[in-house]
Amino acid sequence: MNKLDAQRQKEIQQAEELLFAGPQALGFAKGLFQGHFVSDWVMPYPRIPAAQQVELDGTLAELRQFLDEHLDPTEIDRNADIPRSVFDGLGRVGVLGMTAPKEYGGRGFTQMANCKILEEIGRRCASTSVFVNAHHSIGIRALLLFGTHEQKQRWLPKLSTGEQLGAFALTEREAGSDAANVQMQALPSEDGSHFVLNGEKRYITNAAIADVLTVMARTPVPGSDKTSITAFLVTPDMPGFEMLEARMPKMGIRGTATGRFALRDVKVPKENILGPPGKGLKVALTVLDFGRTTFGACCTGAAKTCLRLAVEHANTRKQFNKTLGNFHLVQKKIARIAADAYAMEAMTTITAALIDRGLEDYMLETAMLKVFTTERLWECINDVFQIYGGSAYFVDLPLERMMRDARINQIGEGANEVLTSFIALVGMRGPGMEFKEIYDTMIKPTRERGFAKAWTAGKHRLGAAVRVPEIPVRSAQLRGFANQLGRLIWRFNVAVNRALITYREPILDMQLLQERIANAAMDLFAATCVLSRYDAELEFAQRNGNSSSLDHCAAGLFLRQSFRRIRHFLAGLTDNDDKSVLATANSILGKPGS
Ligand SMILES: Cc1cc2nc3c(=O)[nH]c(=O)nc-3n(C[C@H](O)[C@H](O)[C@H](O)COP(=O)(O)OP(=O)(O)OC[C@H]3O[C@@H](n4cnc5c(N)ncnc54)[C@H](O)[C@@H]3O)c2cc1C
């Protein structure tokens, strides 16, 4: 086996271990890749139970009042600091332990309700929403998900109220996008009572203000020469904890304290291990799934602010004797922001509900949500920036700050390129394995039990190839959209099958193809969420005799634009300039064979 093959085998083994723990219910996104519309996960549109809605409304009112009175995003950006009073206030409202169980001092909110809270903060100040995410969505998430009762009892009460703050430390110099390449070492002591940690972490939000950090480090696998990753709770008062740079100066989300630290022979008791030893990568990726959900909520909030600002300016600024809102090229931007903001909210709500309703494997949906909402928000900010013209460039308006703040979204918690490739590959794995079964049996018909498995796989593939899935909308008005969506899911499945049959194993490296498949899948998911929300709103409006036509225009527009994009992505699978793109890049990069 050459070095490349060995590396590929290692990656596949790691992925297998991480992703495919055992039989699980078919999720919505994986279903799409198999040509199914698993409607139960997405329709009807999820609603927060009435009793919890009352509690959420009360908390939102309290939060809004606090933010109106005490949050100054401009000052936070200028001073590159979020005042302690803001942390304390958020703690009092319950934001810092929103989803922690009540028995540990939290508010016991669902992920869906929590997303409404984050949307509200994301509307106003990205520094503050990233701080909250770093503390609550990822900082204390491993403790919430994988901590033992004793660990939760010991650590959570202070972390839930904000008396103590949390951080999540995965990234290192050699472990950025390649999260599995963590180099920080954790060696067990001879008596087994503790681990000794050595190494450095960088780009860690809240590192310098956190009282407890979830740190990923590499531990030996007992009885072998292998190593794997384990999650530890580390506190900065442990001897050997050295803050190398408390606040790395940066372009956006300047209020957050992004730091670098070293652990030098830090003794961490074995009681501080979170989750199973050696399963830290799975712990980390599950934690990030939660972070990506609230990322979606924060982007939704920011997109709504873009819409508000765009409308305000377009209705007041006059040029050529008309307000800007009279020009079609301005209208086009405003309509698109409205459509995208509607979709971002719908997608966030449905993804959060998947977690609340106990879908075990939601990594594809959270990855889709993260890529989709961060890319759309970037477009929204660019559009509203353009509508404001020269004034957007000056610091008395919030737009230049919003633009600087939003840029990290496409990089942090999984760069969008990495997640795009991940979406395509994990999604295609199901149908890919079925084709492999069929192919292996064809070339080796004597394989034991092979024929039966291949027959089942063949039936699945064939079934999906001839069946256009039905989309169960309730409103007759939406049947046309539902039929179009069903046909596009069918076309998507045919395209995935064709790509798998045509390219087989090399598809693993064909990122331009993967990007089109992932983009089509993301738009199919987004369109589904929009249709589900639109359907629920129409039903509600009919029952109550009113109609929110503004929102419905945006929903209809989103569906039209999304369907057009999906057709474009699928057409690009066969009609593209990929060879020329790669040849040009290779020749410029000085790659051999170009
Ligand atoms: C402000 C800020 C806050 C952060 N907070 C935290 C935190 O709290 N905790 C934490 O652990 N980390 C944190 N990070 C780290 C963040 O998650 C990483 O920056 C991110 O994962 C990317 O890693 P990298 O910066 O090393 O980029 P690299 O891995 O060097 O990647 C650079 C670029 O290369 C491309 N690329 C990389 N791999 C691939 C691939 N396989 N296919 C195609 N393209 C690829 C992508 O375009 C990517 O953007 C933070 C970073 C920043 C900037």
Side-chain angles (χ1 to χ4, degrees):
M1 201 186 296
N2 66 33
K3 211 171 149 197
L4 209 65
D5 285 344
Q7 175 65 18
R8 161 67 39 79
Q9 280 304 325
K10 197 174 138 208
E11 283 169 11
I12 290 174
Q13 199 188 334
Q14 264 169 359
E16 297 271 338
E17 189 192 327
L18 271 172
L19 308 177
F20 312 109
Q24 289 162 339
L26 183 64
F28 180 77
K30 282 193 178 164
L32 278 181
F33 279 86
Q34 315 220 4
H36 299 313
F37 187 83
V38 190
S39 60
D40 288 356
W41 292 119
V42 287
M43 287 179 174
Y45 191 65
R47 291 186 60 180
I48 294 174
Q52 202 183 89
Q53 185 68 52
V54 172
E55 204 185 341
L56 172 63
D57 290 345
T59 308
L60 274 172
E62 205 185 332
L63 175 66
R64 284 187 191 117
Q65 189 183 348
F66 170 75
L67 297 176
D68 285 346
E69 289 171 7
H70 301 285
L71 188 81
D72 184 343
T74 312
E75 197 177 277
I76 286 176
D77 179 60
R78 197 182 310 120
N79 298 343
D81 189 23
I82 304 172
R84 179 77 221 185
S85 57
V86 171
F87 302 155
D88 293 342
L90 292 172
R92 273 195 306 278
V93 178
V95 170
L96 302 181
M98 219 29 124
T99 63
K102 289 188 176 167
E103 61 174 307
Y104 302 117
R107 294 290 298 271
F109 272 31
T110 57
Q111 193 61 7
M112 220 170 114
N114 185 38
C115 280
K116 297 290 168 204
I117 301 284
L118 262 306
E119 182 189 312
E120 191 58 43
I121 302 173
R123 265 177 201 251
R124 299 161 188 253
C125 175
S127 282
T128 307
S129 62
V130 170
F131 153 74
V132 174
N133 268 340
H135 164 81
H136 180 258
S137 289
I138 59 176
I140 65 171
R141 183 62 47 188
L143 185 57
L144 285 169
L145 291 174
F146 301 97
T148 61
H149 174 62
E150 289 70 32
Q151 286 173 326
K152 288 180 184 169
Q153 224 170 18
R154 173 166 174 213
W155 301 98
L156 272 180
K158 285 186 177 170
L159 286 165
S160 296
T161 56
E163 198 180 322
Q164 290 194 335
L165 297 175
F168 173 79
L170 171 64
T171 304
E172 300 174 7
R173 196 184 146 75
E174 303 305 329
S177 298
D178 188 1
N181 196 35
V182 163
Q183 300 296 313
M184 179 170 273
Q185 296 287 335
L187 294 176
S189 61
E190 272 185 15
D191 65 359
S193 65
H194 61 268
F195 282 74
V196 181
L197 272 63
N198 275 294
E200 289 184 12
K201 296 280 178 189
R202 69 173 185 180
Y203 304 166
I204 307 303
T205 308
N206 292 358
I209 56 173
D211 303 276
V212 186
L213 298 95
T214 302
V215 173
M216 302 296 154
R218 188 163 288 284
T219 45
V221 175
S224 85
D225 58 355
K226 292 193 179 133
T227 56
S228 55
I229 297 171
T230 299
F232 293 89
L233 283 173
V234 173
T235 56
D237 57 359
M238 290 175 171
F241 186 108
E242 188 186 341
M243 189 53 62
L244 300 173
E245 199 173 355
R247 286 177 181 271
M248 302 169 77
K250 59 189 190 294
M251 158 181 147
I253 53 164
R254 283 165 39 82
T256 59
T258 316
R260 251 173 1 102
F261 65 89
L263 301 185
R264 312 225 192 271
D265 291 328
V266 174
K267 289 183 184 166
V268 182
K270 71 173 186 338
E271 290 73 26
N272 287 22
I273 289 180
L274 283 174
K279 297 286 178 197
L281 197 51
K282 181 157 187 160
V283 171
L285 297 187
T286 310
V287 163
L288 290 173
D289 280 336
F290 276 78
R292 288 172 193 147
T293 316
T294 39
F295 235 96
C298 297
C299 289
T300 303
K304 287 185 179 179
T305 298
C306 289
L307 186 60
R308 177 178 59 77
L309 293 172
V311 170
E312 274 171 23
H313 197 65
N315 277 337
T316 49
R317 167 78 173 154
K318 276 192 177 168
Q319 286 291 276
F320 306 100
N321 269 333
K322 289 177 185 175
T323 52
L324 295 181
N326 283 295
F327 297 106
H328 288 185
L329 291 177
V330 173
Q331 290 184 353
K332 174 181 148 184
K333 292 181 177 58
I334 291 177
R336 196 166 50 195
I337 299 173
D340 285 347
Y342 184 96
M344 288 156 83
E345 184 175 353
M347 215 169 163
T348 303
T349 302
I350 286 190
T351 307
L354 295 179
I355 297 179
D356 293 335
R357 290 173 57 204
L359 177 65
E360 278 175 73
D361 173 4
Y362 38 77
M363 61 189 166
L364 271 189
E365 288 84 355
T366 53
M368 286 180 174
L369 176 70
K370 195 272 181 177
V371 176
F372 186 86
T373 54
T374 57
E375 294 293 341
R376 301 322 297 167
L377 176 61
W378 185 245
E379 292 297 323
C380 292
I381 291 183
N382 199 36
D383 279 349
V384 64
F385 204 95
Q386 192 68 17
I387 292 172
Y388 271 74
S391 62
Y393 222 75
F394 294 90
V395 298
D396 55 331
L397 289 183
L399 288 162
E400 59 83 33
R401 169 175 55 80
M402 288 173 67
M403 186 167 248
R404 285 187 284 108
D405 285 349
R407 193 59 188 84
I408 182 58
N409 295 338
Q410 288 143 304
I411 298 168
E413 292 194 24
N416 284 4
E417 289 78 4
V418 177
L419 291 177
T420 297
S421 177
F422 172 85
I423 291 163
L425 291 181
V426 174
M428 286 193 290
R429 189 180 187 272
M433 291 307 285
E434 289 185 338
F435 279 123
K436 186 170 181 310
E437 208 51 66
I438 300 167
Y439 177 78
D440 286 352
T441 306
M442 271 163 44
I443 55 166
K444 238 184 178 187
T446 51
R447 243 164 35 110
E448 218 182 306
R449 296 199 337 270
F451 196 73
K453 276 171 95 180
W455 176 252
T456 314
K459 258 195 344 197
H460 283 162
R461 288 298 83 228
L462 194 68
V466 296
R467 201 183 324 109
V468 175
E470 203 174 307
I471 316 298
V473 288
R474 295 180 192 183
S475 165
Q477 200 181 321
L478 298 183
R479 291 269 147 72
F481 283 131
N483 291 341
Q484 283 189 66
L485 179 61
R487 277 198 301 276
L488 284 171
I489 292 172
W490 174 79
R491 277 184 60 186
F492 174 69
N493 181 249
V494 171
V496 166
N497 289 350
R498 187 181 299 139
L500 284 164
I501 293 169
T502 310
Y503 302 110
R504 306 219 349 238
E505 186 144 327
I507 213 169
L508 295 173
D509 294 317
M510 296 173 69
Q511 289 195 332
L512 302 182
L513 177 144
Q514 292 165 13
E515 181 178 44
R516 294 189 187 94
I517 301 250
N519 281 342
M522 278 187 272
D523 253 310
L524 286 172
F525 182 41
T528 299
C529 297
V530 165
L531 196 58
S532 174
R533 177 177 172 192
Y534 194 177
D535 199 26
E537 287 175 352
L538 282 178
E539 202 185 28
F540 183 79
Q542 253 168 14
R543 226 182 308 129
N544 294 282
N546 61 3
S547 68
S548 52
S549 57
L550 275 177
D551 272 0
H552 295 164
C553 270
L557 174 65
F558 183 86
L559 290 172
R560 284 192 181 83
Q561 295 194 329
S562 178
F563 293 163
R564 198 178 299 283
R565 282 194 297 266
I566 295 165
R567 287 194 289 271
H568 166 75
F569 296 135
L570 296 182
L573 287 169
T574 45
D575 179 12
N576 59 58
D577 305 318
D578 291 0
K579 277 194 182 137
S580 174
V581 167
L582 297 178
T584 306
N586 280 330
S587 92
I588 291 170
L589 288 164
K591 297 256 179 228
S594 61

